Amino acid sequence: IVFRLRAEKVYCKILPGDAPVERLVAEEALGLVLAGGVSGSEPVRLDGQLLRTGMPVLALGDTAVAVAGLLGSQAGEARAVNDVDTLTFLPSRITEDLGESERMFTTVRPLGRSDDLDPLAELDGVVLGVMHKSLDIFALQCQLEQNDPDIMSLLLQFCLNVCGATR
C-alpha cells in the first residue's frame, strides 16, 4: 500500500502494527490506513483509542472486521467463498466513480449494521464494508491487489478527499 501511494506522490509512512496511539498522534498524521490479511479467521485485536483520536481511519482486510466491531457492528461467522464475485460499492466520500469490482474472495465475515454505521460495500446483499455516519472511519474487507484500480482509487480518495493529503 505504501509503495503504491508513494508512486502516486502521496507521502506516507510505515509504522509497526503495535505502535502506541501516542506515537501516531505525535507523528501528526493526516490519516491512518490499517491493513490486515484476508483470511477471515480470528479478527485482529485493535486498541479502541485509535478511533478516538479524531484521525481519519481506513481499515482494509481483516482489520476492517476489528474496526467495525469497535464501532458496534457484530460480525457474522466467517464464510468460505473461494471464488471470484462482484463487490458493489455504495456512495461515499471514498467510493466516487466506483460501482462494482470483480474480486477474488476466499473468506468473508458479514458485518452487522448499527445506528452509527452505513454500508460501504456489499457482496450479494451481504455487508462487507461499513462507514461511520459522522466520523471519518471506513472499514472494507478487501486488500489492494497487484493490478487493482478500484481499491487504489478508494485509497487515493481516502488520502486526498478525507485526510486532506496533497500530491
Side-chain angles (χ1 to χ4, degrees):
I1 292 173
V2 168
F3 300 117
R4 297 283 298 278
L5 286 172
R6 288 177 182 164
E8 294 290 333
K9 303 207 182 324
V10 174
Y11 174 80
C12 51
K13 196 173 196 178
I14 299 174
L15 294 176
D18 61 354
V21 173
E22 297 78 24
R23 179 172 176 196
L24 298 173
V25 172
E27 294 279 345
E28 297 182 359
L30 297 177
L32 181 62
V33 176
L34 303 171
V38 288
S39 68
S41 59
E42 189 62 30
V44 177
R45 302 229 187 270
L46 292 174
D47 185 344
Q49 287 183 327
L50 282 173
L51 306 183
R52 292 189 287 277
T53 63
M55 185 182 312
V57 174
L58 172 60
L60 297 174
D62 290 340
T63 61
V65 176
V67 166
L70 290 171
L71 295 172
S73 173
Q74 296 293 323
E77 291 297 314
R79 185 181 87 209
V81 177
N82 296 316
D83 201 3
V84 174
D85 212 331
T86 302
L87 184 69
T88 303
F89 295 104
L90 302 170
S92 77
R93 293 173 62 200
I94 65 170
T95 57
E96 263 182 48
D97 300 324
L98 293 176
E100 295 182 334
S101 179
E102 191 175 79
R103 312 199 63 76
M104 175 65 188
F105 291 95
T106 52
T107 307
V108 297
R109 292 176 62 98
L111 299 177
R113 300 172 191 244
S114 77
D115 291 341
D116 294 328
L117 300 175
D118 280 332
L120 177 66
E122 296 179 341
L123 176 68
D124 296 328
V126 175
V127 177
L128 294 188
V130 293
M131 58 187 161
H132 197 278
K133 289 181 179 178
S134 59
L135 303 173
D136 288 327
I137 302 175
F138 306 86
L140 178 63
Q141 292 181 70
C142 289
Q143 276 292 12
L144 179 64
E145 297 172 1
Q146 187 67 30
N147 182 18
D148 193 347
D150 297 326
I151 300 302
M152 192 62 219
S153 173
L154 185 140
L155 274 164
L156 281 172
Q157 289 181 62
F158 174 74
C159 293
L160 302 173
N161 300 347
V162 176
C163 299
T166 57
R167 292 182 174 186

